[in-house]
Amino acid sequence: MLFRSSKITKTDVTYMKAQVASLINSDSKSILELALSSADHRVRAAGCIVARKYGLEYLEDLISSVGNDHELVRQAGRESLLVLSTSFKGTKPVDFGPMFGEKSNLATCASQNMWKAWFTENQAKKVMADSKKESVK
């Protein structure tokens, strides 16, 4: 999925994959948090990929990543948000972008707002459904 953009090189992806493996092997949230704030776009993108393993815990970081200046980070964040969007029962995967090559402030801001609104709405629905289940017991 990440190769659709000409601004993402094979070298970047290879390095990022190595960083993903390293982050998974470390199994450390503090190292993941460092990766998510790294100045190196490949490390930050790897952090976005690994963050999805923690569910919604790093949702703000992932939503923020779709506004990043580097395509690799934007698309890694987008991909993780897509994966997380399937974690809500009864929902289909959604994609609010940003699309490949789309890096204008307007487009990335719109994507961030739509992702945030979607997750906020679906988290509220989940809480309501869970509370209904509890009241039935």
Side-chain angles (χ1 to χ4, degrees):
M1 186 198 257
L2 291 172
F3 279 117
R4 286 191 196 166
S5 172
S6 61
K7 297 186 183 192
I8 299 173
T9 67
K10 190 171 183 174
T11 304
D12 281 346
V13 174
T14 301
Y15 186 84
M16 181 195 70
K17 285 180 179 179
Q19 292 301 308
V20 167
S22 178
L23 287 167
I24 289 171
N25 287 336
S26 77
D27 199 29
S28 167
K29 286 186 178 182
S30 60
I31 292 175
L32 173 60
E33 289 162 7
L34 287 172
L36 287 168
S37 61
S38 175
D40 186 323
H41 65 278
R42 299 164 300 183
V43 175
R44 187 174 283 194
C48 290
I49 298 296
V50 175
R52 72 176 85 151
K53 129 181 180 178
Y54 294 99
L56 302 178
E57 187 172 342
Y58 294 101
L59 183 62
E60 286 183 34
D61 293 294
L62 293 173
I63 291 172
S64 174
S65 72
V66 299
N68 191 278
D69 288 337
H70 201 279
E71 186 80 16
L72 186 65
V73 177
R74 283 195 306 276
Q75 296 309 319
R78 173 186 174 210
E79 186 177 311
S80 287
L81 290 167
L82 276 160
V83 169
L84 290 175
S85 76
T86 65
S87 67
F88 291 93
K89 188 176 182 178
T91 61
K92 294 180 181 178
V94 296
D95 185 0
F96 299 116
M99 297 303 154
F100 289 94
E102 213 173 34
K103 67 177 188 176
S104 72
N105 286 341
L106 183 61
T108 58
C109 186
S111 289
Q112 288 173 315
N113 288 336
M114 288 187 288
W115 280 116
K116 187 178 237 176
W118 189 89
F119 276 102
T120 300
E121 178 183 331
N122 283 281
Q123 283 175 306
K125 285 179 185 176
K126 184 179 182 321
V127 168
M128 287 176 62
D130 289 348
S131 66
K132 284 182 183 177
K133 285 179 188 174
E134 287 297 315
S135 65
V136 172
K137 289 182 182 180

